[in-house]
């Protein structure tokens, strides 16, 4: 570790450990393309709130589980700093992903396809976990800065809420709800996955991406769901951009953006209204939502907890920056639990869905498990 980075990591680690010992909530994040990070510490354990309070909570960090109430970490102490200069981040493309549970996962993907063919639902997202022991050299803030360097297009964040007894670390590219100080609202439809690396480990240009009908339809489900939410609140004036291919770390996705000028339209509280309607999106759940959630509860033997929920800073400069909680690892002592999911449609191939979850696990694992 470089000397400057080592001093920064040590200082932040000491503050983090004291807060943990006092059982108080805290979070650190770096917004996409930002050159600074923000580290906040709360005077309490974190407060369960309603999505409808998002515009009025003040400055802090909001995170929500896949199912359940959002948790607000108030920014009672704020530290803003410049990202350290890291010249290169090693990505271990050969990192191993556990094959434990493969047969069970593939079986449930097959069952999901059968349910889709029976019109029980049109799409469902199943997830899995990959449990690994962290190397002795692992340090949370070093990992945070490495991920910030490796994934400039992502929200990189780590947070601790005492009653969860875990630290969560993620590098997520998927916007859920964003609104700036001028009232410009944005949400995103992001789905479909393929590797952004060629056979020799080189980055593939987005122009070379080739998408199957399955992947195109998977992303279209998410876009249609966003539009349905707009219709439910009688919002018809929005700008849609895409779909287009984007790169997030070592993966490619299909992405569409939906933008609304809330001030021009005189729309109030759009962020909280859409947050309540969208979450959990079909990108992490399925369509229709309730039928997909019921199926997920049968198929998955692990608790998603914060994975596939949402997280991000709110209230700073009157902005809301909430992202879907993907590309995530839950840290408990020296154990790391990596989460990954895949969208299943009628055209899915079970073995390929398993391979997609492997690719997603490697997004973080390939950085965190590198020397």
């Amino acid at each position: 570790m470089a000397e400057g980075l080592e001093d920064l990591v040590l200082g932040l680690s000491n503050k983090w450990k004291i807060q943990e010992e006092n059982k108080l909530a805290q979070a650190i994040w770096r917004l996409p393309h930002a050159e600074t990070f923000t580290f906040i510490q709360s005077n309490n354990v974190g407060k369960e709130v309603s999505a409808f309070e998002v515009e009025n909570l003040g400055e802090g960090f909001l995170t929500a589980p896949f199912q359940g109430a959002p948790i607000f970490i108030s920014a009672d102490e704020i530290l803003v700093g410049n990202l350290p200069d890291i010249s290169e981040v090693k990505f271990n493309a050969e990192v191993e992903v556990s094959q434990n549970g493969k047969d069970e996962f593939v079986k449930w993907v097959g069952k999901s396809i059968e349910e889709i063919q029976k019109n029980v639902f049109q799409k469902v997202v199943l997830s899995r976990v990959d449990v690994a022991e962290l190397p002795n050299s692992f340090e949370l803030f070093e990992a945070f800065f490495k991920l910030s360097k490796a994934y400039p297009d992502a929200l990189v964040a780590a947070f601790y809420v005492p009653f969860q007894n875990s630290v969560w670390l993620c590098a997520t590219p998927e916007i859920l709800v964003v609104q700036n100080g001028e009232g410009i609202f944005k949400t995103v439809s992001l789905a479909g996955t393929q590797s952004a690396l060629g056979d020799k480990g080189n980055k593939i240009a987005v122009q070379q991406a080739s998408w199957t009908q399955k992947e195109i339809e998977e992303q279209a489900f998410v876009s249609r769901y966003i539009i349905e939410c707009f219709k439910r609140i009688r919002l018809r004036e929005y700008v849609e951009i895409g779909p287009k291919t984007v790169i997030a770390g070592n993966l490619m996705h299909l992405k569409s953006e939906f933008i609304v000028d809330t001030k021009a339209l005189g729309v109030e509280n759009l962020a909280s209204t859409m947050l309540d309607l969208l979450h959990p999106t079909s990108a992490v759940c399925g369509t229709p939502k309730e039928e997909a959630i019921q199926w997920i509860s049968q198929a998955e033997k692990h608790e998603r907890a914060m994975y596939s929920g949402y997280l991000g800073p709110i209230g700073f400069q009157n902005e809301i920056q909430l992202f879907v909680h993907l590309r995530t690892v839950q840290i408990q002592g020296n154990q790391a639990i990596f989460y990954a999911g895949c969208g299943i449609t009628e055209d899915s191939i079970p073995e390929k869905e398993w391979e997609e979850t492997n690719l997603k696990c490697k997004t973080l694992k390939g950085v965190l498990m590198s020397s």
Side-chain angles (χ1 to χ4, degrees):
M1 199 187 310
E3 185 176 343
L5 176 59
E6 186 174 359
D7 291 342
L8 177 60
V9 165
L10 180 60
L12 294 174
S13 294
N14 287 338
K15 288 174 65 68
W16 187 276
K17 289 174 183 175
I18 292 171
Q19 191 80 344
E20 276 190 322
E21 290 170 359
N22 291 326
K23 302 294 184 183
L24 298 172
Q26 55 192 333
I28 184 170
W29 66 88
R30 188 234 54 196
L31 289 169
H33 305 293
E35 297 180 355
T36 60
F37 66 88
T38 303
F39 179 26
I40 66 167
Q41 295 186 306
S42 175
N43 292 336
N44 56 59
V45 298
K47 175 186 176 185
E48 288 193 349
V49 296
S50 163
F52 291 109
E53 298 178 72
V54 68
E55 284 98 350
N56 303 308
L57 287 170
E59 294 181 340
F61 189 87
L62 189 66
T63 181
F66 174 60
Q67 289 192 279
I71 301 166
F72 179 63
I73 302 173
S74 56
D76 298 311
E77 183 178 338
I78 304 172
L79 172 65
V80 178
N82 294 320
L83 292 175
D85 184 17
I86 302 176
S87 57
E88 182 182 4
V89 175
K90 294 180 181 179
F91 177 81
N92 183 4
E94 302 303 319
V95 67
E96 292 185 2
V97 176
S98 172
Q99 299 302 300
N100 292 337
K102 177 180 178 180
D103 291 344
E104 184 75 3
F105 184 84
V106 168
K107 179 187 78 174
W108 277 99
V109 172
K111 287 185 175 182
S112 300
I113 295 169
E114 291 175 2
E115 294 298 293
I116 292 170
Q117 291 169 341
K118 296 175 187 174
N119 294 318
V120 175
F121 40 77
Q122 287 80 53
K123 172 191 172 182
V124 69
V125 179
L126 294 186
S127 69
R128 57 174 285 238
V129 296
D130 181 26
V131 182
E133 186 173 327
L134 289 167
N136 293 331
S137 59
F138 177 82
E139 211 296 326
L140 176 65
F141 289 96
E142 182 184 8
F144 172 82
F145 290 126
K146 285 168 68 175
L147 289 173
S148 296
K149 176 70 175 183
Y151 303 113
D153 298 327
L155 168 76
V156 179
F159 66 90
Y160 165 73
V161 177
F163 50 84
Q164 293 182 331
N165 198 31
S166 297
V167 173
W168 292 82
L169 173 66
C170 79
T172 173
E174 185 169 352
I175 288 172
L176 179 59
V177 166
V178 165
Q179 188 165 303
N180 66 19
E182 286 71 49
I184 303 300
F185 168 93
K186 181 166 74 171
T187 188
V188 164
S189 162
L190 188 77
T193 301
Q194 62 178 275
S195 176
L197 303 178
D199 295 337
K200 298 180 180 179
N202 56 303
K203 280 285 181 75
I204 301 171
V206 293
Q207 295 85 352
Q208 295 178 287
S210 177
W211 297 100
T212 66
Q213 180 61 36
K214 180 263 176 187
E215 293 157 336
I216 293 169
E217 184 64 11
E218 181 187 347
Q219 193 264 347
F221 273 121
V222 187
S223 295
R224 287 197 289 268
Y225 183 70
I226 291 171
I227 293 170
E228 282 299 318
C229 289
F230 284 156
K231 288 180 178 178
R232 287 175 66 179
I233 59 173
R234 294 185 173 88
L235 177 65
R236 294 179 175 82
E237 296 184 47
Y238 58 87
V239 176
E240 181 178 356
I241 303 171
K244 60 183 180 180
T245 301
V246 295
I247 293 179
N250 62 329
L251 301 177
M252 285 184 178
H253 306 285
L254 283 168
K255 173 183 175 182
S256 297
E257 295 181 336
F258 298 84
I259 301 168
V260 179
D261 187 337
T262 64
K263 288 188 177 179
L265 297 176
V267 179
E268 295 183 356
N269 301 326
L270 181 61
S272 57
T273 300
M274 287 298 292
L275 186 61
D276 182 67
L277 289 172
L278 287 173
H279 176 68
T281 74
S282 60
V284 297
C285 176
T287 305
K289 183 187 292 188
E290 294 306 320
E291 286 81 353
I293 289 174
Q294 185 176 358
W295 184 252
I296 289 167
S297 69
Q298 297 179 53
E300 296 182 359
K301 307 310 178 203
H302 60 277
E303 289 291 333
R304 288 195 181 188
M306 309 309 287
Y307 167 70
S308 68
Y310 58 82
L311 76 170
I314 61 172
F316 296 90
Q317 298 179 326
N318 204 29
E319 294 187 345
I320 297 166
Q321 305 266 2
L322 297 173
F323 290 69
V324 183
H325 196 170
L326 304 174
R327 313 296 185 269
T328 187
V329 57
Q330 180 183 10
I331 301 168
Q332 295 178 321
N334 66 342
Q335 185 183 70
I337 306 170
F338 295 88
Y339 292 77
C342 58
I344 300 159
T345 69
E346 189 173 9
D347 298 318
S348 289
I349 299 172
E351 189 75 24
K352 287 189 176 180
E353 301 299 345
W354 172 262
E355 291 305 320
E356 180 176 323
T357 65
N358 284 347
L359 278 173
K360 289 175 176 176
C361 283
K362 286 182 178 182
T363 301
L364 259 64
K365 202 171 187 180
V367 173
L368 303 188
M369 298 298 189
S370 299
S371 59

